[in-house]
């Protein structure tokens, strides 16, 4: 390989890493900035009890997904990358594998309890995540905001853009799945699910790399969130 070709390849790798970093930064910072405005508006509209309103609870789940969509839009606008680089197809058998994968991952959810027990030794107390009303037809909008949208937009950003650019930059499989899994876990800033989300992030990244598509991971991600909501709805109704 000529020196010019080597320099061109090195520049390409740097661009890939930069775009992955920009996408992650926008996805992480934008929700914080917009949340401040939402809190101010909700306080003015609903008073001190704004956090208990259904509007605020829905916004707390919806806002990050809007930011993910914005981050993806910025990425495609900046790079002019074809959509197929993220939304490419794959073999049909990866979809049943994705279903089996998610049920396998759910069996590891007890890891959260062990990690919380460890954190409690240092004085950490877990706070409950507020969910919208899940009874009856209320489950449908909750499914859309908490299961469908995160499955689409989080997979687009993490497994489509970030993992794709890590791989294009020349990173090996191990480094790509471990770092992207850590970024996925850290983004959610929820100590109760740190270990579980890291494991999910690693498995989703590995599947995306193997099948060359995010569609199976979208399915797996959706099933994870949908099952949590369905179980919460069943418990809420009892």
């Amino acid at each position: 390989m000529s020196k010019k070709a080597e320099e061109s390849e090195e520049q390409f790798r740097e661009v890939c890493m930069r775009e992955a970093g920009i996408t992650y930064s926008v996805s992480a910072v934008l929700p914080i900035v917009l949340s401040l405005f939402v809190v101010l508006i909700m306080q003015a509209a609903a008073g001190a009890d704004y956090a208990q309103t259904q509007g605020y609870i829905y916004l707390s789940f919806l806002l990050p997904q809007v930011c993910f969509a914005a981050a993806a839009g910025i990425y495609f606008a900046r790079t002019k990358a074809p959509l197929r680089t993220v939304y490419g197809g794959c073999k049909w058998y990866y979809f049943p594998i994705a279903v089996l994968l998610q049920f396998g991952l759910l069996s590891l959810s007890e890891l959260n309890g062990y990690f919380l027990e460890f954190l409690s030794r240092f004085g950490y107390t877990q706070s409950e995540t507020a969910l919208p009303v899940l009874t009856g037809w209320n489950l449908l909008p909750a499914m859309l905001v908490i299961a469908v949208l995160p499955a689409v937009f989080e997979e687009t950003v993490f497994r489509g853009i970030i993992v794709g650019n890590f791989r294009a930059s020349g990173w090996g499989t191990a480094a790509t799945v471990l770092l992207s899994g850590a970024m996925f876990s850290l983004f959610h800033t929820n100590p109760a699910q740190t270990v579980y989300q890291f494991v999910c992030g690693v498995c989703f990244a590995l599947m995306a790399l193997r099948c060359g598509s995010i569609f199976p991971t979208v399915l797996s991600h959706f099933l994870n969130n949908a099952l949590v909501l369905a179980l919460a709805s069943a418990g809420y109704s009892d």
Side-chain angles (χ1 to χ4, degrees):
M1 183 181 295
S2 67
K3 183 176 180 180
K4 185 175 181 179
E6 290 178 352
E7 291 177 351
S8 178
E9 183 177 351
E10 183 63 27
Q11 290 176 351
F12 173 74
R13 291 178 177 178
E14 291 177 357
V15 168
C16 290
M17 291 302 297
R18 182 171 65 249
E19 293 302 331
I22 291 173
T23 301
Y24 184 78
S25 298
V26 172
S27 300
V29 174
L30 192 56
I32 298 174
V33 175
L34 293 182
S35 292
L36 294 176
F37 289 100
V38 169
V39 168
L40 292 175
I41 293 172
M42 293 299 295
Q43 281 182 329
D49 295 330
Y50 72 93
Q52 282 71 50
T53 64
Q54 289 297 295
Y56 177 78
I57 293 173
Y58 269 103
L59 280 175
S60 68
F61 287 102
L62 180 60
L63 189 60
Q65 305 316 315
V66 172
C67 296
F68 275 120
I74 292 171
Y75 169 78
F76 286 115
R78 282 173 50 86
T79 64
K80 309 300 181 185
L83 290 176
R84 66 176 178 274
T85 59
V86 171
Y87 300 109
C90 66
K91 301 292 185 179
W92 67 268
Y93 51 77
Y94 283 106
F95 292 96
I97 292 175
V99 174
L100 293 174
L101 170 65
Q102 190 51 53
F103 281 101
L105 288 172
L106 285 172
S107 69
L108 301 176
S109 59
E110 286 298 320
L111 291 173
N112 298 335
Y114 295 129
F115 189 60
L116 279 177
E117 183 179 348
F118 170 75
L119 292 178
S120 66
R121 299 178 181 179
F122 302 93
Y124 176 78
T125 302
Q126 172 63 17
S127 58
E128 293 292 330
T129 300
L131 292 174
V133 175
L134 299 174
T135 54
W137 291 102
N138 293 304
L139 183 60
L140 294 182
M143 280 286 184
L144 173 63
V145 174
I146 303 176
V148 176
L149 296 184
V152 173
F153 292 121
E154 291 183 18
E155 291 307 309
T156 294
V157 168
F158 282 101
R159 263 60 70 175
I161 297 173
I162 293 177
V163 167
N165 277 282
F166 281 174
R167 171 51 66 89
S169 68
W171 281 35
T173 298
T176 295
V177 300
L178 290 174
L179 181 58
S180 64
M183 293 168 71
F184 180 65
S185 178
L186 290 173
F187 172 82
H188 289 85
T189 62
N190 185 354
Q193 297 182 3
T194 298
V195 177
Y196 178 68
Q197 287 174 336
F198 172 73
V199 174
C200 286
V202 166
C203 292
F204 291 168
L206 184 60
M207 172 167 282
L209 288 174
R210 287 289 181 262
C211 70
S213 173
I214 67 168
F215 289 127
T217 64
V218 168
L219 173 61
S220 192
H221 197 146
F222 166 76
L223 288 174
N224 178 82
N225 294 10
L227 286 170
V228 170
L229 286 178
L231 291 173
S233 176
Y236 190 87
S237 300
D238 290 342

